[in-house]
Amino acid sequence: MKPVILILFSAIVLAACTSKLKKENEDLRNEIDQRRENLTKKVTNELEDARHQLAITDSLLELARAEHDTLHQWVMSHATQLNDQSEQVQRLNQLRQRRDSLQVEFEKQAHKVKFYLRK
């Protein structure tokens, strides 16, 4: 009689453990699925933000290029009358610096968008 009770008790304990493990596995799978979903949402949001920043940087870069090109033409046409310390030449140098920094920022944002699109 004792062996039968021992076997029944062992079976009950084993069934309880198996049931608990199945519940833990389901909970872990649900958590993994939730994290995957959150990661997908995060990547999508970051892609949208990167595209928005790229558009803003592109607009600023176009404005800086247009302003630089206009002033560059004027400075070149008056090059004989100007020196390196004149206000227009200094402004041209500042515009060139701004244009170059915006170009670097634009390229950085473009690579960021490409990176998110690959994911």
Side-chain angles (χ1 to χ4, degrees):
M1 187 80 170
K2 284 186 181 180
V4 173
I5 294 176
L6 187 59
I7 291 173
L8 285 176
F9 182 72
S10 298
I12 291 171
V13 169
L14 183 63
C17 289
T18 304
S19 174
K20 185 177 178 182
L21 286 175
K22 284 182 182 178
K23 185 180 181 318
E24 287 178 3
N25 281 341
E26 282 182 24
D27 291 344
L28 287 174
R29 285 185 184 154
N30 290 338
E31 186 178 338
I32 289 171
D33 291 341
Q34 184 67 33
R35 286 184 182 192
R36 269 194 194 122
E37 185 179 322
N38 289 341
L39 182 62
T40 303
K41 287 179 184 177
K42 181 180 177 187
V43 168
T44 303
N45 289 340
E46 287 182 2
L47 175 61
E48 289 175 16
D49 290 343
R51 283 181 171 165
H52 180 71
Q53 289 298 325
L54 181 64
I56 290 172
T57 304
D58 185 42
S59 299
L60 292 173
L61 180 60
E62 289 301 317
L63 290 173
R65 281 181 180 159
E67 190 176 356
H68 172 270
D69 292 346
T70 303
L71 187 57
H72 184 265
Q73 287 177 347
W74 188 88
V75 167
M76 287 297 126
S77 66
H78 296 86
T80 57
Q81 302 164 0
L82 299 172
N83 62 20
D84 290 342
Q85 301 303 319
S86 64
E87 183 179 333
Q88 292 83 3
V89 174
Q90 294 293 323
R91 176 75 179 136
L92 180 63
N93 290 336
Q94 290 173 349
L95 285 173
R96 186 175 295 126
Q97 181 183 14
R98 175 149 174 78
R99 181 199 63 188
D100 291 347
S101 66
L102 284 170
Q103 181 65 40
V104 168
E105 182 67 23
F106 177 82
E107 290 173 6
K108 183 180 91 174
Q109 292 294 335
H111 286 295
K112 195 174 189 181
V113 169
K114 287 178 189 177
F115 173 77
Y116 285 124
L117 287 175
R118 284 189 209 141
K119 282 188 164 186

